[in-house]
Amino acid sequence: MDLVNHLEGRLLFAVPKKGRLLQAALNILEGADIQFRRENRLDIALVKNLPIALIFLPAADIPTFVGEGRVDLGITGYDQVQEHDAGTRALARARRMSNEWDPSRAAGKPQGCETVLDLGFGSCRLQVQVPAKGSYVEGKDLIGKNIGTSFVHLAREYFARLELEKEGITDPAAAEGRKLRTKIIELSGSVEAACALGVADGIVDLVESGETMKAAGLKAIDTVVETSAILIKSKAPSNPELVELIASRIRGVITAQRFVLCQYNVPRAKLAEATAVTPGKRAATVTALDEEGWVAVSAMVETKRIAPVMDELVKVGAEDILVLDIHNTRSS
Ligand SMILES: Nc1ncnc2c1ncn2[C@@H]1O[C@H](COP(=O)(O)OP(=O)(O)OP(=O)(O)O)[C@@H](O)[C@H]1O
Ligand SMILES: O=P(O)(O)OC[C@H]1O[C@H](OP(=O)(O)OP(=O)(O)O)[C@H](O)[C@@H]1O
């Protein structure tokens, strides 16, 4: 089937085609009941139960497709959106410098993407890293040096800011035309090897566990961006109601993943103490028990806090404590 000719009337939703965000993104789609079958090697999949087509793209390209309004929704890293936006600013600056016409200012579809919600996975930091045994201790020590990175626009903005600070330049007009002294070297992967191989004095790269950086003999000296996966939408989506429906479903999946349902019985005399431990999202649900003087409580608790919460409940005198996974949820 020629899928490209079946996109008419469908909301286009970009999903990372590989890498760290792929599996978690697919889990979100499944939780939101977005049903599809992706044919081998095809980057487009039609959703069976909704007028949506999924477009599988590199995470780094998704902000471009969504920002230009070619695709309505996307899942990617906040770092990728920031890098794309920094690239757009650089292009606009270059055009201003050469007095060239800037198409993004032309009337028509509004450009750029908007963050709909944080998806709560893919958390890491874009950091400035240097040899652990070297003499660099802060970002400005790298001014004028060679920097290896895949995030060239963010790295340029970071060092441009440091250079302006160092030189005491505050006039925006003087800043605009200034040439960067620091040399930004674009690398597409294995950036951590650049220092050891003499290509760079420092790097700007993502750090999650810190294992890669440690193994490469590097240490972080500054953070450029804290990132996690986000849902983004175009500023002019083709079907805003469907965008809102999908966002609401995904919000429900995320909330369900973040919380568990905690149920327990507690003497009525201890109810206030117990609900102080489990106040719930809005309020705890309290129901009478057949047994005189006891009540049953159920409340949503953040998954990462559940162990200490259970410890506290036992201390308060709660009994029969149960913790249940939440499959899905919908709330405002
Ligand atoms: N440890 C990590 N390293 C890199 N990216 C991470 C990490 N953890 C989460 N991410 C997120 O995943 C996004 C995509 O990174 P990933 O390297 O998996 O993409 P990719 O499409 O396979 O790119 P590449 O081919 O350049 O490696 C990052 O921009 C970031 O938001
Ligand atoms: O802090 P950590 O948990 O060790 O993760 C960070 C590493 O993971 C990423 O590389 P990736 O494995 O995606 O390969 P790449 O270097 O080819 O981009 C990133 O660029 C770091 O090198």
Side-chain angles (χ1 to χ4, degrees), residues 74-122:
I75 292 177
T76 188
Y78 176 69
D79 53 330
Q80 300 293 358
V81 175
Q82 290 297 303
E83 173 66 5
H84 172 259
D85 289 354
T88 307
R89 286 191 289 274
L91 192 61
R93 249 190 327 270
R95 287 193 166 126
R96 277 198 301 275
M97 296 303 296
S98 60
N99 286 324
E100 199 186 312
W101 177 70
D102 182 352
S104 69
R105 289 195 184 164
K109 268 192 171 184
Q111 302 275 308
C113 40
E114 285 175 16
T115 300
V116 181
L117 63 124
D118 191 320
L119 298 172
F121 60 84

Side-chain angles (χ1 to χ4, degrees), residues 39-198:
E39 301 288 340
N40 197 19
R41 304 210 56 79
L42 264 185
D43 287 336
I44 298 175
L46 302 184
V47 173
K48 294 178 198 162
N49 55 340
L50 287 164
I52 295 177
L54 300 178
I55 319 287
F56 292 87
L57 296 170
D61 293 340
I62 290 177
T64 304
F65 283 82
V66 177
E68 289 187 5
R70 309 285 165 185
V71 166
D72 302 287
L73 268 175
I75 292 177
T76 188
Y78 176 69
D79 53 330
Q80 300 293 358
V81 175
Q82 290 297 303
E83 173 66 5
H84 172 259
D85 289 354
T88 307
R89 286 191 289 274
L91 192 61
R93 249 190 327 270
R95 287 193 166 126
R96 277 198 301 275
M97 296 303 296
S98 60
N99 286 324
E100 199 186 312
W101 177 70
D102 182 352
S104 69
R105 289 195 184 164
K109 268 192 171 184
Q111 302 275 308
C113 40
E114 285 175 16
T115 300
V116 181
L117 63 124
D118 191 320
L119 298 172
F121 60 84
S123 299
C124 53
R125 298 170 302 283
L126 182 66
Q127 295 192 309
V128 183
Q129 301 162 45
V130 292
K133 295 206 172 107
S135 58
Y136 306 122
V137 290
E138 54 184 334
K140 67 174 165 28
D141 297 340
L142 289 168
I143 288 176
K145 307 284 179 201
N146 293 332
I147 308 298
T149 188
S150 311
F151 292 82
V152 288
H153 299 296
L154 284 174
R156 269 194 200 110
E157 284 195 352
Y158 173 86
F159 283 102
R161 183 175 54 77
L162 292 188
E163 291 184 18
L164 291 177
E165 273 171 24
K166 191 174 175 192
E167 289 164 27
I169 300 173
T170 50
D171 174 14
E176 174 117 329
R178 210 184 141 274
K179 198 170 175 304
L180 195 68
R181 280 176 54 206
T182 311
K183 189 171 171 210
I184 308 297
I185 301 164
E186 181 163 13
L187 301 170
S188 61
S190 304
V191 177
E192 65 281 356
C195 292
L197 297 175

